[in-house]
Amino acid sequence: MTDTLREAYRVMRTIRAFEERVHEEFATGEIPGFVHLYAGEEASATGVCLHLDDRDAIASTHRGHGHCIAKGVDVHAMMAEIYGRKTGACRGKGGSMHIADLAKGMLGANGIVGGGPPLICGTALAAKQQNTGGVGVAFFGDGASNQGTTLEALNLASVWNLPAIFVAENNGYAEATSSAWSVASDNIADRAAGFGMPGVIVDGFDFFAVHEAAGEAVERAREGGGPTLIEVKFTRYFGHFEGDQQTYRAGEVAHARATLDCLKRFRDRVTDSGELDGPLLDDIDAEVAKLIEDAVSAAKAAPKPTKEDLETDVYVSY
Amino acid sequence: MARTISYREAINEALAQEMARDESVIVMGEDNAGGAGSPGEDDAWGGVLGVTKGLFHKFPGRVLDTPISESAFVGAAIGAATRGQRPVAELMFIDFMGVCFDQIFNQAVKFRYMFGGNARTPVVIRTMYGAGLRAAAQHSQCLYPIFTHIPGLKVVVPSNPYEAKGLLIQSIRDDDPVIFCEHKALYDTSGEVPEDSYTIPFGEANVVRDGDDVTIVAIGRMVAMAEGAANDLAASGIEAEVIDPRTTSPLDTETILESVEKTGRLVVVDEASPRCNLATDISALVAKEAFGSLRAPIEMVTPPHTPVPFSDALEDLYIPDAQKVLNAAKAVVEYRR
Amino acid sequence: MIRPVTMPKWGLSMERGRITAWLAADGDEVVTGDDLAEIDTDKIAGTLESPGSGVLRCVVAAAGEDVPVGGTIALLADPETPAEELDEAARQARQEIDAGAIAGDEGPVTGTVEVDGRSLAYATLGTEGDVVVLVHGYGGDKNSWLFVQEPLAEHRIVHALDLPGHGESTKDVGDGSLGTLADAVLGFLDALGVERAHLVGHSLGGAVVVAAAAKAPHRVEKLTLLAPAGFGGPVNARYLRGFATATSRRELKPHLAALFADPDLVTRRLADDLLRYKRLDGVDRVLTTLLGTLLDGDAQAIDAARLLSTVDVPVTFVWGREDAVLPPGTTRPDVEHVDGAGHLVHLEAPGAVVAAITR
């Protein structure tokens, strides 16, 4: 168990450090395009993905860095991708919103809200037909919970009894619009009943709550018990995208950072219980800091793709 | 000797042979079994046109009925393709693409490029297109130009049973996403089809008929019609070369250009709406690459820029016919500056 | 006596043919084998040779006409035959063509037999007489005999066989050895209950029928070898490899020129038909395996001459003088050289081949 805890902390810390550094670097103007940061939501990706291995596939969102790290995508390759370098996870052709590693079962961050859930029905179907015991996990936001694709996918997953888990990451806002307004039901998880599957609500700042709920859902799915919808409620620490002035929201971020931070809560709990000690966690923090520092320097030094790369990788063969 | 079967049977045989050869090949779509889970007969329909009939019992667990949720099951086919399956999804009518377009043109098609060459999405979406059955505006369109427009997709438009079988087997074995467009008015047409499995490569046009006077490029159902027009033209001493591109993406530009360089004249017959269709695309290609060979303006035989009408009186006017092809060919042959 | 010249049936699927040109005119005196007309079909263009000798007294169907198989397109007769008789025969023929229905067009009977776990396809023409079995070459099939099977069948039972891996037979040749292919031919005879037959083989098929004769001499009445493999001399390895590896019409067509003396016979349709065959599952492996049987480096790997020396059966050799695939390599005195013909001598000079077989 202490191995799992150590790993959970390392992953959450990596996500946090990665996102905070991207936030800083973005402000310098060196990172092109849009980035959507996952800081504050670390417990969700980590709590779910700790139950997964390479048999399992996940689909992510435009806010996908955390899912990538939790599913084991190489941090150097991710950072280089965000910088648009040839050494990036997608050779500079995808960027922040499309980081993927199919070998690791990471089907890509996704620029289309609601793009992932149908795909996950397919990965779950493949796992079922190939008898791998694998599951598919669709992470999506409160915005995507109102997309037809998501609702269709929930229905199909039930109809086909797929080993699929739908993780609705409700961070309170779809872009600048409050989910309290845009989601007509009280909870996204309430919709599970309409699709004949269990719906669970968890505190997204609590790694242990997410981990436990996801564990049950994954186990049920692996055993042929069908899909689950898990709603994870929390707050994102940054704007919808970097540069968002966040004039639509009040002081909830400061409150969350001060009192609800999943990393702080995790650290307090495991050190209080004596399962892990502080110096060990400090060591992890230092290792992660060095990893991120190295990833940024390497990304900045890496070459950009060239004219020769423009027309490759469109087809396997054409 | 050579066995004659229908376009529908050719497609069914291609599916059955590939499913037997490779167990990762799976089939899904609305009513593809038809009746699964219903109190009546299993495998009652085989899709609305009976194309998948008989596969449900032959390949247990590999022919899936779906809810009427095109986004979900087309997306599922794409997702399964990323994980080692070779799904063939049936999208009843090409007109329904509108409700699942995102999964095709933002997901399936972009993975390989967006992920830096690290993706393989061998999915086939079979879909029915075309006018002629009085099916009206929402069930009769020829939308293959839309797919042809999108990098990352391959688009197949088979014109007869032989082409349908070989091109579908090629589509299933292909590692890229393929839109396979079946003309609804061709299902009951017949032709010689070998019993053995075989493939027809993409991007290789079929020269249906040789001729020196005018090149007629025709697509899908228009091919046989153009061939008929060419035979009529021969009676008046005009020898038309008829080319069936077979796939609109990739497009065999070489065969078209070589032919126009020989004949100096081009007629393109396309059942798709006239703006930004294959006729305009091929005309632009020829105007750019073979301008010096052209001895007459290019003619395009297409429907008018309207939705497909319902009434037989109107639909018959709408669809390009042999007479229009004949007139166009004569016009370019008789053209004098 | 009036002898009708009818639209031939070239290949099993031919139903109609178009006369593209008459090469002889009313009043011309012709002998058997003279070129009469150019005929175009869905699959192939060919020259119709005169079925008999006499005077071409009446052309019934003009150039440009499309006539059903079996339809009378011209009349041959002695100079003495009265004009009224010819007029009446021409009128009847015309009526038949215009009606579009020709009585008595009986095509070949096709079938399959199981030999060594493989299905072998064949087509039979003729109901009486000695049995002749036609065995095609590398990459060919039973349809390659289209110009000779019908004339041979007039007084014989003529089977055209698809070797393993070819035509409509199972696309598997096992080890691809001459022995395996010879066993297929002998197994075919067994399956049809044929005791003894006249074996005709072209190219690789020539070597195959020699090997069959060496294995079971008592089963072989006679051998006719058309440009057979394995009798010394060079082989066009470039052609064989090119044929085996070409995947498109563009790649294949240039290689096909090696097959004929007259390059105009390499039509798009010929290339298309060969591509259709090459694109069947399993054919790729068949052709690669057989390449190993045929070639040792750039030389012939087969020694059929040695096999033939062990058997005592009558043999006739026919070789196109312009054969660019297997140029005549043997100096045997019994080789009949045909002028103006290439490797596919039975397509380019069917009359000479029929004469050699029936002699």
Side-chain angles (χ1 to χ4, degrees):
Chain A
M1 185 61 192
T2 53
D3 283 352
T4 307
L5 293 175
R6 208 165 33 230
E7 180 59 12
Y9 185 77
R10 195 189 59 76
V11 171
M12 289 197 289
R13 175 58 69 197
T14 307
I15 297 171
R16 176 69 54 87
F18 190 96
E19 297 295 63
E20 291 192 325
R21 184 62 181 267
V22 171
H23 175 73
E24 285 169 26
E25 296 293 334
F26 190 85
T28 70
E30 219 182 316
I31 293 176
F34 313 130
V35 290
H36 309 84
L37 301 179
Y38 194 72
E41 307 187 13
E42 294 85 351
S44 175
T46 311
V48 174
C49 290
L50 275 180
H51 295 289
L52 307 182
D53 56 46
D54 288 355
R55 290 175 297 170
D56 307 313
I58 68 166
S60 171
T61 69
H62 53 285
R63 198 175 305 289
H65 303 166
H67 306 127
C68 289
I69 291 171
K71 196 70 172 72
V73 180
D74 180 65
V75 166
H76 274 260
M78 286 179 62
M79 193 64 85
E81 188 59 38
I82 288 168
Y83 274 86
R85 307 297 161 145
K86 193 168 174 150
T87 53
C90 309
R91 299 184 202 173
K93 289 179 170 176
S96 163
M97 264 190 288
H98 307 302
I99 300 172
D101 186 343
L102 291 158
K104 290 247 186 304
M106 170 56 200
L107 248 64
N110 205 314
I112 306 298
V113 171
L119 299 172
I120 280 309
C121 288
T123 69
L125 175 69
K128 187 175 169 176
Q129 290 184 320
Q130 294 162 2
N131 281 315
T132 62
V135 302
V137 179
F139 290 98
F140 59 97
D142 42 290
S145 77
N146 296 327
Q147 280 281 33
T149 47
T150 304
L151 303 170
E152 285 190 28
L154 287 165
N155 185 60
L156 185 66
S158 254
V159 168
W160 281 353
N161 193 37
L162 295 174
I165 295 102
F166 297 89
V167 181
E169 298 185 323
N170 184 352
N171 63 20
Y173 296 90
E175 303 189 358
T177 300
S178 167
S179 61
W181 177 82
S182 68
V183 177
S185 51
D186 290 343
N187 302 290
I188 295 169
D190 296 347
R191 295 178 175 177
F195 298 107
M197 68 176 77
V200 184
I201 299 170
V202 294
D203 175 357
F205 292 113
D206 181 354
F207 164 81
F208 294 96
V210 176
H211 189 249
E212 190 185 335
E216 281 172 24
V218 169
E219 196 183 332
R220 183 164 53 248
R222 290 202 202 284
E223 288 169 0
T228 305
L229 171 60
I230 300 173
E231 180 179 1
V232 184
K233 291 184 191 265
F234 44 28
T235 305
R236 56 169 142 84
Y237 283 4
F238 294 111
H240 167 60
F241 53 87
E242 282 312 275
D244 175 6
Q245 297 305 304
Q246 303 184 69
T247 46
Y248 50 88
R249 60 180 182 175
E252 71 250 27
V253 174
H255 169 73
R257 278 186 183 265
T259 63
L260 301 172
D261 182 347
C262 62
L263 273 154
K264 277 186 192 143
R265 282 170 68 176
F266 181 94
R267 191 179 174 110
D268 289 349
R269 175 160 159 179
V270 297
T271 50
D272 286 354
S273 68
E275 287 164 293
L276 296 175
D277 59 25
L280 181 138
L281 296 174
D282 292 341
D283 287 349
I284 292 176
D285 290 350
E287 282 164 28
V288 167
K290 182 170 184 317
L291 172 68
I292 301 299
E293 184 59 45
D294 290 350
V296 171
S297 335
K300 286 181 173 174
K304 290 198 171 170
T306 57
K307 192 165 176 258
E308 285 68 48
D309 300 304
L310 178 64
E311 293 184 34
T312 59
D313 302 330
V314 182
Y315 295 91
V316 176
S317 61
Y318 195 62
Chain B
M1 59 137 196
R3 185 188 52 140
T4 293
I5 60 173
S6 71
Y7 191 81
R8 174 187 289 108
E9 288 164 335
I11 294 165
N12 178 280
E13 185 167 279
L15 290 170
Q17 288 182 349
E18 284 305 283
M19 291 181 87
R21 188 186 66 86
D22 178 353
E23 70 167 15
S24 69
V25 178
I26 58 172
V27 163
M28 63 177 76
E30 289 149 13
D31 307 305
N32 268 16
S38 307
E41 189 189 341
D42 279 345
D43 194 28
W45 276 22
V48 283
L49 277 130
V51 172
T52 55
K53 176 110 177 124
L55 301 176
F56 180 74
H57 290 296
K58 239 184 264 179
F59 303 102
R62 292 165 60 197
V63 177
L64 305 175
D65 269 347
T66 68
I68 299 184
S69 290
E70 283 85 2
S71 272
F73 80 78
V74 167
I78 293 162
T82 67
R83 301 294 282 177
Q85 301 296 77
R86 287 189 178 268
V88 182
E90 179 181 291
L91 187 73
M92 208 187 285
F93 289 91
I94 203 167
D95 314 72
F96 304 169
M97 284 291 178
V99 298
C100 59
F101 218 3
D102 172 65
Q103 289 295 321
I104 298 168
F105 85 53
N106 277 324
Q107 309 297 336
V109 163
K110 305 277 199 299
F111 285 168
R112 189 163 179 84
Y113 193 80
M114 220 160 59
F115 301 162
N118 295 320
R120 204 169 271 260
T121 315
V123 65
V124 181
I125 299 167
R126 289 182 38 246
T127 184
M128 178 169 45
Y129 77 98
L133 295 196
R134 322 308 184 202
Q138 294 176 341
H139 291 74
S140 298
Q141 295 170 87
C142 279
L143 297 179
Y144 50 75
I146 293 182
F147 300 101
T148 308
H149 178 71
I150 298 170
L153 269 183
K154 291 173 178 170
V155 185
V156 183
V157 193
S159 59
N160 63 44
Y162 174 82
E163 307 287 343
K165 180 174 170 182
L167 288 167
L168 182 53
I169 292 178
Q170 177 68 36
S171 301
I172 293 170
R173 295 181 191 177
D174 198 274
D175 283 331
D176 291 306
V178 176
I179 305 290
F180 190 85
C181 304
E182 303 166 7
H183 198 295
K184 57 174 80 64
L186 290 178
Y187 283 118
D188 289 319
T189 61
S190 295
E192 283 179 14
V193 178
E195 285 176 50
D196 284 316
S197 295
Y198 60 95
T199 54
I200 297 172
F202 292 166
E204 183 192 282
N206 183 30
V207 181
V208 178
R209 188 185 190 285
D210 296 303
D212 291 332
D213 300 324
V214 54
T215 300
I216 303 178
V217 179
I219 296 144
R221 187 190 177 198
M222 298 292 107
V223 175
M225 200 262 288
E227 200 184 353
N231 290 337
D232 291 346
L233 283 166
S236 35
I238 298 171
E239 292 297 334
E241 185 143 292
V242 179
I243 295 176
D244 170 8
R246 299 203 276 219
T247 57
T248 63
S249 180
L251 181 69
D252 182 355
T253 56
E254 212 175 329
T255 296
I256 294 169
L257 291 171
E258 271 174 15
S259 179
V260 174
E261 279 158 12
K262 177 176 71 172
T263 63
R265 301 176 182 101
L266 175 67
V267 174
V268 194
V269 192
D270 188 355
E271 198 191 317
S273 300
R275 300 296 319 283
C276 294
N277 65 0
L278 259 292
T280 60
D281 188 56
I282 290 169
S283 299
L285 166 85
V286 168
K288 179 167 182 297
E289 302 292 336
F291 184 74
S293 306
L294 284 173
R295 295 152 70 180
I298 296 166
E299 282 282 342
M300 292 182 255
V301 182
T302 69
H305 193 57
T306 69
V308 182
F310 165 64
S311 167
D312 54 352
L314 293 177
E315 196 185 31
D316 290 347
L317 287 171
Y318 173 90
I319 305 170
D321 61 24
Q323 190 59 48
K324 287 175 191 152
V325 177
L326 201 89
N327 294 346
K330 281 193 173 165
V332 296
V333 170
E334 287 161 8
Y335 174 81
R336 296 288 174 272
R337 239 172 252 282
Chain C
M1 192 192 108
I2 299 175
R3 171 152 194 166
V5 178
T6 56
M7 177 60 70
K9 187 170 178 73
W10 288 337
L12 303 175
S13 64
M14 177 171 167
E15 287 170 2
R16 307 179 71 82
R18 191 156 78 101
I19 302 162
T20 47
W22 277 100
L23 304 174
D26 262 353
D28 283 2
E29 205 164 312
V30 296
V31 297
T32 307
D34 278 358
D35 292 347
L36 287 188
E38 299 279 4
I39 293 185
D40 206 10
T41 78
D42 293 349
K43 302 259 185 226
I44 195 157
T47 305
L48 177 68
E49 296 178 347
S50 179
S53 303
V55 178
L56 185 66
R57 292 284 299 270
C58 176
V59 170
V60 177
E65 274 199 67
D66 197 41
V67 179
V69 166
T72 298
I73 57 173
L75 300 170
L76 285 180
D78 306 326
E80 302 83 53
T81 310
E84 305 81 66
E85 242 176 82
L86 283 160
D87 288 350
E88 175 54 21
R91 195 187 57 76
Q92 277 184 16
R94 190 69 246 174
Q95 222 168 27
E96 247 187 356
I97 293 176
D98 293 343
I102 305 300
D105 164 43
E106 281 172 26
V109 177
T110 58
T112 56
V113 294
E114 282 292 308
V115 176
D116 296 334
R118 299 184 189 96
S119 166
L120 301 184
Y122 65 96
T124 304
L125 262 180
T127 49
E128 275 176 10
D130 294 342
V131 176
V132 179
V133 177
L134 308 172
V135 181
H136 61 79
Y138 181 63
D141 66 23
K142 57 183 178 296
N143 294 312
S144 60
W145 303 101
L146 77 178
F147 296 138
V148 301
Q149 194 176 7
E150 195 177 83
L152 286 173
E154 226 172 309
H155 304 291
R156 289 165 202 81
I157 299 170
V158 187
H159 304 294
L161 176 67
D162 280 339
L163 283 173
H166 292 77
E168 293 176 294
S169 294
T170 304
K171 302 302 175 299
D172 165 52
V173 289
D175 63 359
S177 69
L178 228 40
T180 300
L181 299 175
D183 287 344
V185 173
L186 294 170
F188 172 72
L189 295 180
D190 293 341
L192 263 64
V194 175
E195 260 324 296
R196 258 166 99 77
H198 175 174
L199 302 183
V200 180
H202 172 248
S203 195
L204 171 64
V208 170
V209 297
V210 169
K215 280 181 173 239
H218 57 287
R219 307 292 296 275
V220 182
E221 183 81 43
K222 209 176 145 186
L223 289 172
T224 304
L225 307 178
L226 315 179
F231 285 86
V235 58
N236 186 342
R238 203 169 151 243
Y239 160 77
L240 291 175
R241 292 203 185 94
F243 177 81
T245 56
T247 57
S248 66
R249 182 168 65 235
R250 224 174 283 280
E251 282 171 34
L252 181 63
K253 219 175 148 189
H255 292 295
L256 300 181
L259 292 169
F260 299 97
D262 174 4
D264 286 350
L265 292 175
V266 183
T267 60
R268 176 187 54 73
R269 280 174 303 194
L270 174 74
D272 281 352
D273 281 353
L274 287 169
L275 272 181
R276 281 186 178 215
Y277 162 67
K278 283 174 58 63
R279 286 171 176 171
L280 296 171
D281 275 8
V283 168
D284 201 24
R285 198 163 42 127
V286 162
L287 293 178
T288 309
T289 306
L290 292 179
L291 216 47
T293 304
L294 285 161
L295 292 179
D296 177 5
D298 284 346
Q300 290 209 51
I302 296 175
D303 187 355
R306 189 188 52 75
L307 283 173
L308 187 62
S309 69
T310 66
V311 214
D312 184 22
V313 289
V315 189
T316 307
F317 286 84
V318 182
W319 230 302
R321 221 177 261 287
E322 295 177 50
D323 192 326
V325 175
L326 280 166
T330 174
T331 51
R332 295 174 60 119
D334 48 2
V335 176
E336 186 178 319
H337 293 281
V338 181
D339 290 328
H343 188 57
L344 292 176
V345 59
H346 47 316
L347 284 174
E348 262 183 305
V353 169
V354 170
I357 295 172
T358 54
R359 191 168 301 132

